Short mmCIF file of all heavy atoms in Angstrom, two decimals:
data_model
loop_
_atom_site.label_atom_id
_atom_site.label_comp_id
_atom_site.label_asym_id
_atom_site.label_seq_id
_atom_site.Cartn_x
_atom_site.Cartn_y
_atom_site.Cartn_z
N ALA A 419 -29.76 -2.18 14.65
CA ALA A 419 -29.06 -1.90 15.92
C ALA A 419 -29.48 -2.98 16.97
O ALA A 419 -28.60 -3.48 17.69
CB ALA A 419 -29.58 -0.56 16.49
N ILE A 420 -30.79 -3.37 17.02
CA ILE A 420 -31.20 -4.39 18.02
C ILE A 420 -30.52 -5.75 17.74
O ILE A 420 -30.03 -6.34 18.67
CB ILE A 420 -32.70 -4.49 17.94
CG1 ILE A 420 -33.40 -3.26 18.35
CG2 ILE A 420 -33.14 -5.61 18.81
CD1 ILE A 420 -34.91 -3.13 18.17
N GLU A 421 -30.42 -6.10 16.45
CA GLU A 421 -29.73 -7.38 16.05
C GLU A 421 -28.34 -7.39 16.62
O GLU A 421 -27.97 -8.36 17.05
CB GLU A 421 -29.68 -7.35 14.58
CG GLU A 421 -29.29 -8.49 13.90
CD GLU A 421 -30.29 -9.79 14.15
OE1 GLU A 421 -31.47 -9.62 13.88
OE2 GLU A 421 -29.83 -10.75 14.80
N HIS A 422 -27.71 -6.18 16.77
CA HIS A 422 -26.24 -6.16 17.13
C HIS A 422 -26.09 -5.72 18.68
O HIS A 422 -25.07 -5.33 18.95
CB HIS A 422 -25.50 -5.27 16.20
CG HIS A 422 -25.29 -5.93 14.77
ND1 HIS A 422 -26.12 -5.62 13.79
CD2 HIS A 422 -24.41 -6.85 14.35
CE1 HIS A 422 -25.80 -6.23 12.77
NE2 HIS A 422 -24.78 -6.98 13.04
N ASN A 423 -27.20 -5.79 19.32
CA ASN A 423 -27.19 -5.45 20.83
C ASN A 423 -26.79 -3.94 21.04
O ASN A 423 -26.23 -3.66 22.01
CB ASN A 423 -26.23 -6.32 21.59
CG ASN A 423 -26.79 -7.68 21.76
OD1 ASN A 423 -27.94 -7.79 22.07
ND2 ASN A 423 -25.96 -8.70 21.50
N ILE A 424 -26.94 -3.06 19.94
CA ILE A 424 -26.47 -1.66 20.12
C ILE A 424 -27.67 -1.03 20.88
O ILE A 424 -28.79 -1.01 20.51
CB ILE A 424 -26.23 -1.09 18.75
CG1 ILE A 424 -24.92 -1.77 18.15
CG2 ILE A 424 -25.97 0.37 18.79
CD1 ILE A 424 -24.74 -1.40 16.71
N GLU A 425 -27.26 -0.22 21.82
CA GLU A 425 -28.27 0.42 22.64
C GLU A 425 -28.44 1.95 22.06
O GLU A 425 -27.54 2.41 21.48
CB GLU A 425 -27.75 0.64 24.10
CG GLU A 425 -27.40 -0.77 24.74
CD GLU A 425 -26.59 -0.70 26.01
OE1 GLU A 425 -26.58 0.31 26.66
OE2 GLU A 425 -26.03 -1.75 26.24
N PHE A 426 -29.74 2.57 22.28
CA PHE A 426 -29.79 3.82 21.65
C PHE A 426 -30.70 4.79 22.53
O PHE A 426 -31.49 4.29 23.27
CB PHE A 426 -30.35 3.73 20.32
CG PHE A 426 -31.57 2.76 20.12
CD1 PHE A 426 -32.86 3.31 20.16
CD2 PHE A 426 -31.27 1.45 19.90
CE1 PHE A 426 -34.01 2.58 20.10
CE2 PHE A 426 -32.56 0.69 19.74
CZ PHE A 426 -33.76 1.26 19.82
N PHE A 427 -30.46 5.99 22.37
CA PHE A 427 -31.25 7.02 23.10
C PHE A 427 -32.57 7.13 22.47
O PHE A 427 -32.71 7.09 21.21
CB PHE A 427 -30.54 8.50 23.03
CG PHE A 427 -29.42 8.58 23.89
CD1 PHE A 427 -28.73 7.68 24.45
CD2 PHE A 427 -29.06 9.98 24.27
CE1 PHE A 427 -27.56 8.03 25.33
CE2 PHE A 427 -28.04 10.23 25.13
CZ PHE A 427 -27.28 9.19 25.74
N VAL A 428 -33.63 7.28 23.29
CA VAL A 428 -34.85 7.60 22.86
C VAL A 428 -35.33 8.96 23.51
O VAL A 428 -35.23 9.08 24.69
CB VAL A 428 -35.93 6.40 23.37
CG1 VAL A 428 -37.32 7.04 23.19
CG2 VAL A 428 -35.63 5.15 22.58
N TYR A 429 -35.55 9.94 22.60
CA TYR A 429 -35.68 11.25 22.99
C TYR A 429 -37.17 11.77 22.63
O TYR A 429 -37.44 12.97 22.84
CB TYR A 429 -34.72 12.27 22.60
CG TYR A 429 -34.33 11.93 21.25
CD1 TYR A 429 -35.10 12.45 20.12
CD2 TYR A 429 -33.15 11.16 20.96
CE1 TYR A 429 -34.65 12.16 18.81
CE2 TYR A 429 -32.74 10.87 19.67
CZ TYR A 429 -33.47 11.38 18.62
OH TYR A 429 -33.03 11.14 17.29
N ASN A 430 -38.01 10.87 21.98
CA ASN A 430 -39.47 11.27 21.75
C ASN A 430 -40.28 9.97 21.97
O ASN A 430 -39.78 8.84 21.81
CB ASN A 430 -39.59 11.96 20.55
CG ASN A 430 -39.19 11.26 19.26
OD1 ASN A 430 -39.11 10.11 19.38
ND2 ASN A 430 -38.66 11.99 18.34
N TYR A 431 -41.47 10.13 22.14
CA TYR A 431 -42.37 9.04 22.35
C TYR A 431 -42.57 8.12 21.04
O TYR A 431 -42.50 6.94 21.22
CB TYR A 431 -43.78 9.49 22.79
CG TYR A 431 -44.62 8.35 22.95
CD1 TYR A 431 -44.65 7.66 24.22
CD2 TYR A 431 -45.66 8.01 22.10
CE1 TYR A 431 -45.40 6.49 24.35
CE2 TYR A 431 -46.47 6.92 22.30
CZ TYR A 431 -46.43 6.22 23.43
OH TYR A 431 -47.20 5.07 23.68
N GLU A 432 -42.54 8.80 20.00
CA GLU A 432 -42.64 8.16 18.68
C GLU A 432 -41.64 6.99 18.48
O GLU A 432 -41.93 5.91 17.73
CB GLU A 432 -42.61 9.00 17.55
CG GLU A 432 -43.66 10.15 17.33
CD GLU A 432 -43.62 11.29 18.45
OE1 GLU A 432 -42.49 11.36 19.04
OE2 GLU A 432 -44.56 11.93 18.61
N ARG A 433 -40.56 7.20 19.02
CA ARG A 433 -39.51 5.99 18.80
C ARG A 433 -39.87 4.80 19.48
O ARG A 433 -39.39 3.71 19.09
CB ARG A 433 -38.18 6.64 19.35
CG ARG A 433 -36.95 5.75 19.49
CD ARG A 433 -36.18 5.66 18.23
NE ARG A 433 -36.53 5.97 16.91
CZ ARG A 433 -35.73 6.42 15.97
NH1 ARG A 433 -34.35 6.47 16.06
NH2 ARG A 433 -36.14 6.73 14.76
N LEU A 434 -40.69 4.73 20.53
CA LEU A 434 -40.88 3.58 21.33
C LEU A 434 -41.68 2.44 20.58
O LEU A 434 -41.34 1.31 20.50
CB LEU A 434 -41.56 3.83 22.66
CG LEU A 434 -40.58 4.45 23.67
CD1 LEU A 434 -41.36 4.80 25.01
CD2 LEU A 434 -39.40 3.46 24.03
N PRO A 435 -42.82 2.76 19.98
CA PRO A 435 -43.52 1.78 19.17
C PRO A 435 -42.64 1.24 18.05
O PRO A 435 -42.75 0.13 17.61
CB PRO A 435 -44.77 2.56 18.66
CG PRO A 435 -44.67 3.91 19.08
CD PRO A 435 -43.59 4.06 20.03
N GLN A 436 -41.85 2.11 17.44
CA GLN A 436 -40.91 1.62 16.43
C GLN A 436 -39.95 0.69 16.92
O GLN A 436 -39.57 -0.36 16.22
CB GLN A 436 -40.02 2.84 15.77
CG GLN A 436 -40.87 3.90 15.11
CD GLN A 436 -40.13 5.25 14.85
OE1 GLN A 436 -39.01 5.34 15.21
NE2 GLN A 436 -40.75 6.13 14.09
N ALA A 437 -39.46 0.99 18.15
CA ALA A 437 -38.37 0.01 18.71
C ALA A 437 -39.09 -1.38 19.14
O ALA A 437 -38.57 -2.35 19.00
CB ALA A 437 -37.78 0.63 20.01
N LEU A 438 -40.39 -1.21 19.68
CA LEU A 438 -41.09 -2.39 19.96
C LEU A 438 -41.26 -3.41 18.66
O LEU A 438 -41.06 -4.55 18.72
CB LEU A 438 -42.44 -2.05 20.51
CG LEU A 438 -43.40 -3.18 20.85
CD1 LEU A 438 -42.79 -4.01 22.00
CD2 LEU A 438 -44.81 -2.59 21.19
N GLU A 439 -41.77 -2.65 17.65
CA GLU A 439 -41.96 -3.39 16.41
C GLU A 439 -40.73 -4.09 15.89
O GLU A 439 -40.70 -5.28 15.52
CB GLU A 439 -42.52 -2.50 15.29
CG GLU A 439 -43.14 -3.19 14.16
CD GLU A 439 -43.36 -2.13 12.90
OE1 GLU A 439 -43.63 -0.94 13.18
OE2 GLU A 439 -43.21 -2.64 11.79
N ALA A 440 -39.52 -3.39 15.89
CA ALA A 440 -38.28 -3.91 15.45
C ALA A 440 -37.88 -5.03 16.38
O ALA A 440 -37.34 -5.90 15.92
CB ALA A 440 -37.27 -2.68 15.40
N ALA A 441 -38.07 -4.90 17.64
CA ALA A 441 -37.74 -5.86 18.62
C ALA A 441 -38.49 -7.22 18.31
O ALA A 441 -37.90 -8.30 18.34
CB ALA A 441 -37.93 -5.41 20.08
N LYS A 442 -39.78 -7.07 18.11
CA LYS A 442 -40.60 -8.22 17.75
C LYS A 442 -40.09 -8.94 16.50
O LYS A 442 -40.02 -10.18 16.44
CB LYS A 442 -42.09 -7.86 17.56
CG LYS A 442 -42.72 -7.53 19.05
CD LYS A 442 -44.27 -7.08 18.72
CE LYS A 442 -44.91 -6.99 20.09
NZ LYS A 442 -46.16 -6.18 19.91
N LYS A 443 -39.70 -8.03 15.47
CA LYS A 443 -39.37 -8.67 14.28
C LYS A 443 -38.02 -9.28 14.32
O LYS A 443 -37.81 -10.52 13.80
CB LYS A 443 -39.17 -7.35 13.25
CG LYS A 443 -39.27 -7.81 11.80
CD LYS A 443 -39.58 -6.60 10.91
CE LYS A 443 -38.32 -6.01 10.48
NZ LYS A 443 -38.45 -4.58 9.83
N THR A 444 -37.12 -8.75 15.11
CA THR A 444 -35.73 -9.41 15.19
C THR A 444 -35.74 -10.61 16.28
O THR A 444 -34.76 -11.30 16.31
CB THR A 444 -34.70 -8.39 15.59
OG1 THR A 444 -35.14 -7.69 16.66
CG2 THR A 444 -34.36 -7.57 14.35
N GLY A 445 -36.72 -10.58 17.14
CA GLY A 445 -36.77 -11.62 18.26
C GLY A 445 -35.74 -11.21 19.25
O GLY A 445 -35.35 -12.22 20.03
#
Side-chain angles (χ1 to χ4, degrees):
I420 295 174
E421 190 63 55
H422 292 94
N423 285 316
I424 294 170
E425 304 167 22
F426 51 93
F427 279 23
V428 168
Y429 41 81
N430 55 32
Y431 180 77
E432 291 73 14
R433 176 82 345 150
L434 284 176
Q436 297 168 354
L438 177 64
E439 193 193 328
K442 284 179 176 163
K443 203 163 87 188
T444 50

